[in-house]
Amino acid sequence: MPDFVLTVARFGFLILLWIFVFTVVGVIRRDLFAGTRSSRIVAAPRGVGGAAPAGRPVAKVKRGKAARQLVVTAGQLAGTRITLGEAHITIGRAEDSTLVITDDYASARHARLVPRDGQWFLEDLGSTNGTYLDRAKVSAPTPVPLGVPIRIGRTSLELRT
Amino acid sequence: MPRTHRNAELAMLLFAMALVAVYAATVEATVLETLTPRFWVPTALLTALFVALHMVVRFLAPYADPVLLPAVALLNGIGVAYLRRVDLARAEPDERIDLGLFSGVGGRQLAWTLLSLILAGVLLAVIRDHRIVSRYAYTLGLIGIVLVMLPAVLPASISEVNGAKLWIRFGGFSIQPGEFAKLALVSFFAYYLVRKREVLSLASKRFLGIDFPRGRDLGPIVAVWLFSLLVLVFEKDLGTALLYFGLFIVTLYIATERSSWLIIGLLLFFGGVYLAYVLGASVGGPFRNFYDRAQIWLNPFEGERPFNESYQLVQSLLGLGTGGLFGTGPGGGQPRFIPEVEDDFIFAGLGEEIGLFGLSALLVIYFLVVSRGLRAALAVRDSFGKLVAGGLAFTMGLQVFVIVGGVTGLIPLTGQTTPFLSAGGSSLMANWLLIAMLLRISDAARRPATGAAGGPAAAPGAKQPPAQLHGAATEVIR
Amino acid sequence: MNAPLRRAGIVIMVLFGLLFANLNWVQAYKADEYRTSGFNSRVQVAEYDRQRGVIEAGGEALAESVATNDQLKYRRTYPLKQPYAHVIGYKPVNLGATGIERSENDFLSGESDKLFADRVKDMFTDDDTGGGNVLLTLNRRAQEVAYEQLTKNNGGVDRGAAIAIDPRTGAVQALVSMPSFDPNPLADHATKKAQAAYDELLKAENGPLKNRALSEVLPPGSTFKIVMAAAALENGITKETSIPAGSTYTAPTSGAPIRNAAPSICPESQVTLAEAVRESCNTGFARLGVELGADKLKATAAKFGFGQDAELTVGNLTGGGLPVAASETGAIQGPDGQDDPGALAQSSIGQREVRMTPLQGAMIAAAVANDGKQMQPYLVQRLLGPDRRQIDSASPKVLREPITPQVASDLRDMMKLVVENGTGRNAAINGFQVGGKTGTAQTGVTKNIGWFIGFAIDDKGQPVSAVCVVLEDYGDGGSAEAARIAGRIMRAAAGRGGD
């Protein structure tokens, strides 16, 4: 085998190895930044099949202004995004919550967000320290406008399109 | 519907296998000066195996991280190819051509890969929801202890290899039960810490401005850990002890979020190391071994050492240095000069052939695997999953650091296998089980939760998450 | 739990960063050091992968590599063993190489830039052509005669050296150091055996590894009188000028009287310079030295190379070769550090702190024979590629011109007298004009050292050989025996048979 073939193979291998590395990194990057994919938590609480019709959404309500994401803006999970579907979002320290917040001031089942005709309602689930929409304590299901902070313990969340 | 990236996974997998084929071909062209007509067979078999596992993932964990499998497959494939290359160097000139598919170290590694991938597939099939594991946490904890303890109790004739009592040998086979203990212990730690998390976080004593959890809450974990360490002292294996220590500290830290544990752990560790060094210098006895290792690490080229105690490290460094930036090319190295090249020192052997350029790529791949594991831990929604994934991923990273650091002279050398590269069935199987577990957890993390809860639990015969599990899927609907 | 997980990720990143940094240290910064480290066996294996070139003289291989079945593909052998050992040196697996094996290593191994074309060709054809071949200047007859005569000297002494050079070019015709050794065991692939053989040679009584012809300095005794005579001729004295002599001479400040070797030598108060050389008149040269003064003595000696050649190597004229020890005249001062006529008198007859290598002796004779031009001595005549095409050929260089042609001519005449009818009769060869000078040096520790330096001029008037022979610890008659051996060597070098 002539030496130059070996030399080509030798450097070719190294170059291919790095191309592989960059391919992998590329896949990871697409994974992170392209739209509403994977590493963001795609939300829908479990075991509530009734509330979430398996097929198409009930009605294409106000798609233009409807909230599509729940974003954690402050607290330990800051930066986490949940893509909103047709199902409830439960928030609390319990493991099965849609959004598990590890916050000393949060209760196991703290609050939930429920969609009704394209509008999301915030409901406190009898938490110890209460749920706040902006500065007002939530005592009954309250509609949540886009961009208004929901405060649970040290965590803040808001709805975005 | 989020994309699963399964096709990307398959493409990367094939790319990885192409790389392995290039390596294998170059090796034969360099060592034998010709390409044997069957050079592609091991690579083809590996490809078939990995694609089969890919299919398993496609059906059983469709949302799993797409990077883990190809990245690990590349490492595994390069390992097999390099071990076959070592076989070629060892074989006599006339028997080289007839190196059978499963003969030699490389062939055995290929067979072990086959077995490991089947095991990984089985794990993915049996455990449809990682939380099921927590049901057997105490059993696993017990198994972990037994696995760690077994070689220490057995007579040295069965368990001792190169001075470390880590093995169980029977017939032509030897397994390292400690490799599997890692998985079992992580699961146990994770489960226990999840259950005690609130107590650990809330009921703490304040001392010197740092919050310390109450001792009795940590009792069982510290006991298990101490026990493992004690056993490891008897097994004379510093690296594994270090690994368990790291594992313990990190899961504790992740669970409690108290940096006090990190500080205590690091202080204990470095204090212990320093004490052992000082004692070794003055008192000797059982600490002598550690002192000698530290000396080898500090001055490997001093006096007669390169011929005696630091021979391994020196030859490893010389191999790496000979490789330089671009290496001598696949097959162009001299693996016979590096002791234990198929095992602890495979990274040095590879470094001679693929150079700094190639090794850096391998390091990046290791890092990507570990970071994907941690990413799965971040994304998964239950604490048990977080702790298991985080613990396993971190342990793997730490293991790579310990062995690669040792081989390159960054830290004192302690015997460890290089995950997926080193020859050895136990290590390979255990690490593939680890990857299967990460795949399972990442699947849960990335799965859109509509409908089924945490996996296709609805499938008939699949085990439901246990009812007593803390935070099981019971939702209060008012 | 996410914050600590992220921190764990950062920890891993830092750890891997450390690994990467350290890898750079090992594989980039320290790579060259590790690659060429003495502990790195790869260096040798790579070297032995390619057939090392042949070192040859007169069409005979003196060192060649033969294929083996072991790890190292070729084994170095030295078929002619002892006689050539000090020139060729040896190329062991684990020890340092010496001799031409060392100085021409790059060329022999094929790594030299001169063989770049061959390496490029190798990349495209699948061959691994061997290293280059080195052709030495050695005259095999002269070399073998020198070795045989030296080792079978009539006095039975076992330490000595002989060197013959072509006065016209500086090409070394023979170079022997006694005792010698067989280099083959040192090149054994079993490194333990090689090491044992080396250790044994190192411990051996007479230092067989030492190249006495180039790197040992000894008091030159009366051979130094040629330098003195040159100094005298340069300072207005002719060969017929009478100089003061006498049976004893005591320098003004020194108590120790200088005597002649025998009472019959120059007892008269005046002898001609030529006569003083022929008879080797100690008192005459001691007085001459005191008269000329230390500075003139040192100046002439320096012109011949004394104190000059610490950097000289004998090998390839373009650089590299066997190391040479510097010959010295010493300070020529008294114990108090002042100029001292006693010291000067003793130095003038080649005693006290005057030291000379056999090479220097031969170079003095060569300069005299070659009309005052001292050529740079060399061993490598030609470099041949693996395919035996010529790559390089030595072009002789004038090293120094210590004396004028006239002085050289006068010295030749006087030295011829020494062989015709003086102390060096044993060196005479039929059909040649032979000139020379004997020397007997006292060391005070061992028996006397016998020297002879001389030259041979053929019937066409061409100087064909200049030689220096030294026999250590010989006692009486050492210089006569050295003269005899020198004659044999010169005859062989001139192509007139060794017997």
Side-chain angles (χ1 to χ4, degrees), chain B residues 133 136-148 177-191 224 244 247 384 388 392 430 433:
Chain B
V133 175
Y136 309 101
Y138 279 104
T139 320
L140 284 171
L142 192 66
I143 290 174
I145 293 174
V146 171
L147 285 176
V148 173
E179 295 277 356
F180 298 98
K182 212 162 46 188
L183 289 164
L185 287 177
V186 169
S187 306
F188 169 70
F189 283 177
Y191 171 71
V224 168
Y244 283 107
L247 169 64
F384 178 73
V388 170
L392 290 179
L433 288 177

Side-chain angles (χ1 to χ4, degrees), chain C residues 9-324:
Chain C
I10 291 168
V11 168
I12 291 288
M13 200 188 284
V14 169
L15 292 183
F16 273 68
L18 286 174
L19 284 183
F20 178 67
N22 187 53
L23 217 50
N24 272 287
W25 171 256
V26 171
Q27 292 203 281
Y29 185 77
K30 299 278 267 184
D32 276 335
E33 184 184 328
Y34 288 153
R35 190 176 300 130
T36 54
S37 160
F39 301 116
N40 196 340
S41 331
R42 288 170 195 80
V43 178
Q44 282 112 26
V45 170
E47 251 185 327
Y48 283 79
D49 262 3
R50 187 182 294 147
Q51 188 168 22
R52 194 176 170 84
V54 173
I55 302 176
E56 56 186 78
E60 185 97 4
L62 309 177
E64 57 189 341
S65 287
V66 293
T68 63
N69 291 325
D70 58 30
Q71 260 185 30
L72 308 178
K73 283 196 199 159
Y74 295 97
R75 189 159 49 82
R76 198 70 171 155
T77 58
Y78 305 94
L80 300 182
K81 298 184 182 171
Q82 285 91 345
Y84 294 89
H86 288 100
V87 176
I88 307 300
Y90 45 87
K91 170 73 189 165
V93 178
N94 260 14
L95 308 160
T98 65
I100 293 295
E101 288 274 40
R102 171 198 171 99
S103 65
E104 292 298 319
N105 184 49
D106 277 0
F107 191 76
L108 289 163
S109 68
E111 297 295 327
S112 166
D113 294 343
K114 292 171 186 154
L115 296 171
F116 182 71
D118 294 82
R119 298 284 81 82
V120 172
K121 205 170 70 192
D122 282 359
M123 278 193 70
F124 289 94
T125 64
D126 192 20
D127 306 333
D128 206 357
T129 43
N133 304 312
V134 175
L135 241 72
L136 298 186
T137 56
L138 290 184
N139 178 317
R140 282 193 47 231
R141 267 215 111 98
Q143 177 77 9
E144 274 152 37
V145 165
Y147 181 74
E148 195 178 318
Q149 293 298 325
L150 205 59
T151 49
K152 292 178 185 160
N153 66 78
N154 289 332
V157 302
D158 44 19
R159 281 181 292 152
I163 179 166
I165 54 186
D166 186 326
R168 295 162 292 181
T169 60
V172 175
Q173 296 163 326
L175 193 162
V176 172
S177 173
M178 173 177 73
S180 188
F181 61 97
D182 180 0
N184 287 301
L186 299 175
D188 201 308
H189 285 185
T191 51
K192 286 223 167 89
K193 265 165 77 182
Q195 181 75 45
Y198 178 75
D199 288 344
E200 199 175 312
L201 287 172
L202 208 57
K203 273 185 288 179
E205 201 181 347
N206 288 320
L209 293 175
K210 187 168 190 179
N211 189 338
R212 289 165 202 276
L214 302 183
S215 58
E216 186 173 55
V217 288
L218 294 167
S222 303
T223 55
F224 192 68
K225 286 172 185 163
I226 300 300
V227 176
M228 290 303 300
L233 291 169
E234 283 179 334
N235 287 284
I237 297 169
T238 68
K239 54 185 177 176
E240 300 307 331
T241 306
S242 288
I243 58 168
S247 53
T248 64
Y249 167 69
T250 306
T253 55
S254 170
I258 287 172
R259 294 173 206 283
N260 294 314
S264 59
I265 300 170
C266 61
E268 55 273 57
S269 60
Q270 296 271 319
V271 292
T272 61
L273 184 63
E275 192 63 9
V277 169
R278 185 183 67 78
E279 286 190 315
S280 198
C281 174
N282 287 347
T283 52
F285 278 100
R287 284 169 180 270
L288 184 63
V290 173
E291 192 189 319
L292 288 171
D295 290 343
K296 283 178 181 160
L297 186 157
K298 281 185 195 169
T300 306
K303 284 199 240 167
F304 276 104
F306 281 79
Q308 307 294 308
D309 291 341
E311 304 295 317
L312 185 72
T313 55
V314 180
N316 196 319
L317 284 176
T318 56
L322 282 58
V324 173

Side-chain angles (χ1 to χ4, degrees), chain A residues 1 6 9-21 23-25 27-28 30-32 36-49 52 76-77 87-90 93-102 104 108-109 112 123-126, chain B residues 2-3 5 8 12 15-16 19 22-23 26 29-30 33-35 66-67 70-71 74 78 131 197-198 257 326-330 354 357-358 360-361 364-365 368 372 375 379 381-384 446 448-451 453-454 470-478:
Chain A
M1 197 64 53
L6 291 181
R10 171 183 159 199
F11 287 103
F13 174 80
L14 290 179
I15 292 165
L16 281 176
L17 192 59
W18 275 101
I19 293 177
F20 178 82
V21 168
T23 311
V24 169
V25 172
V27 169
I28 292 172
R30 258 188 295 148
D31 205 34
L32 286 180
T36 60
R37 293 204 182 106
S38 42
S39 85
R40 293 169 198 173
I41 301 164
V42 177
R46 18 190 112 115
V48 284
Q76 283 174 336
L77 291 178
H88 301 175
I89 304 286
T90 55
R93 292 205 342 247
E95 296 303 331
D96 59 330
S97 307
T98 316
L99 182 67
V100 184
I101 48 176
T102 50
D104 290 348
R109 310 198 177 282
R112 70 173 169 182
E123 225 177 316
D124 187 79
L125 296 177
Chain B
R3 273 162 57 182
H5 291 292
M12 283 191 287
F15 189 177
L19 265 168
V22 169
Y23 191 93
T26 316
T30 310
E33 295 175 354
T34 170
L35 265 185
V67 165
L74 177 73
I78 297 270
R131 290 172 299 174
R197 199 160 71 90
E198 300 197 6
E257 302 194 16
F326 299 106
T328 54
I354 63 178
F357 232 61
S360 311
V364 172
I365 290 170
L368 290 178
R372 292 320 280 172
R375 170 61 53 183
R381 276 160 277 170
D382 67 295
S383 302
F384 178 73
R446 298 153 61 93
T450 12
H470 179 76
T474 48
E475 189 176 18
V476 182
I477 301 172
R478 289 206 298 192

Side-chain angles (χ1 to χ4, degrees), chain A residues 62-148:
Chain A
K62 301 173 212 164
R63 265 288 174 208
K65 286 184 76 181
R68 290 204 191 134
Q69 288 180 3
L70 177 65
V71 181
V72 182
T73 52
Q76 283 174 336
L77 291 178
T80 303
R81 286 155 185 265
I82 295 181
T83 303
L84 298 172
E86 305 297 330
H88 301 175
I89 304 286
T90 55
I91 303 163
R93 292 205 342 247
E95 296 303 331
D96 59 330
S97 307
T98 316
L99 182 67
V100 184
I101 48 176
T102 50
D103 192 317
D104 290 348
Y105 298 96
S107 300
R109 310 198 177 282
H110 199 106
R112 70 173 169 182
L113 280 159
V114 186
R116 221 162 275 163
D117 301 334
Q119 176 64 52
W120 288 83
F121 286 81
L122 178 62
E123 225 177 316
D124 187 79
L125 296 177
S127 64
T128 316
N129 294 311
T131 308
Y132 294 83
L133 186 62
D134 207 0
R135 300 196 180 261
K137 186 162 183 176
V138 175
S139 47
T142 313
V144 184
L146 289 173
V148 176

Side-chain angles (χ1 to χ4, degrees), chain B residues 39-158:
Chain B
F39 84 91
W40 51 273
V41 174
T43 316
L45 184 59
L46 276 177
T47 311
L49 290 174
F50 287 128
V51 169
L53 187 64
H54 161 77
M55 295 314 284
V56 171
V57 172
R58 202 173 260 268
F59 286 108
L60 296 181
Y63 294 96
D65 194 299
V67 165
L68 284 172
L69 184 57
V72 172
L74 177 73
L75 294 170
N76 196 157
I78 297 270
V80 171
Y82 184 75
L83 292 170
R84 282 186 82 79
R85 182 257 170 284
V86 172
D87 290 334
L88 282 181
R90 289 210 177 122
E92 293 300 315
D94 42 343
E95 66 182 31
R96 277 176 179 169
I97 309 297
D98 291 326
L99 199 62
L101 186 56
F102 290 113
S103 66
V105 186
R108 272 207 300 284
Q109 184 80 344
L110 192 56
W112 282 121
T113 307
L114 174 70
L115 203 60
S116 305
L117 294 186
I118 292 173
L119 270 179
V122 167
L123 186 135
L124 282 174
V126 171
I127 300 176
R128 297 297 180 87
D129 181 343
H130 59 271
R131 290 172 299 174
I132 286 176
V133 175
S134 65
R135 185 193 277 176
Y136 309 101
Y138 279 104
T139 320
L140 284 171
L142 192 66
I143 290 174
I145 293 174
V146 171
L147 285 176
V148 173
M149 201 174 69
L150 212 51
V153 181
L154 289 171
S157 61
I158 299 178

Side-chain angles (χ1 to χ4, degrees), chain B residues 253 257 320 322 352 386 408, chain C residues 1-2 7 22 27 42:
Chain B
Y253 172 58
E257 302 194 16
L320 287 167
T322 306
E352 187 187 350
K386 274 183 194 297
T408 56
Chain C
M1 280 203 218
N2 283 2
R7 276 181 216 131
N22 187 53
Q27 292 203 281
R42 288 170 195 80

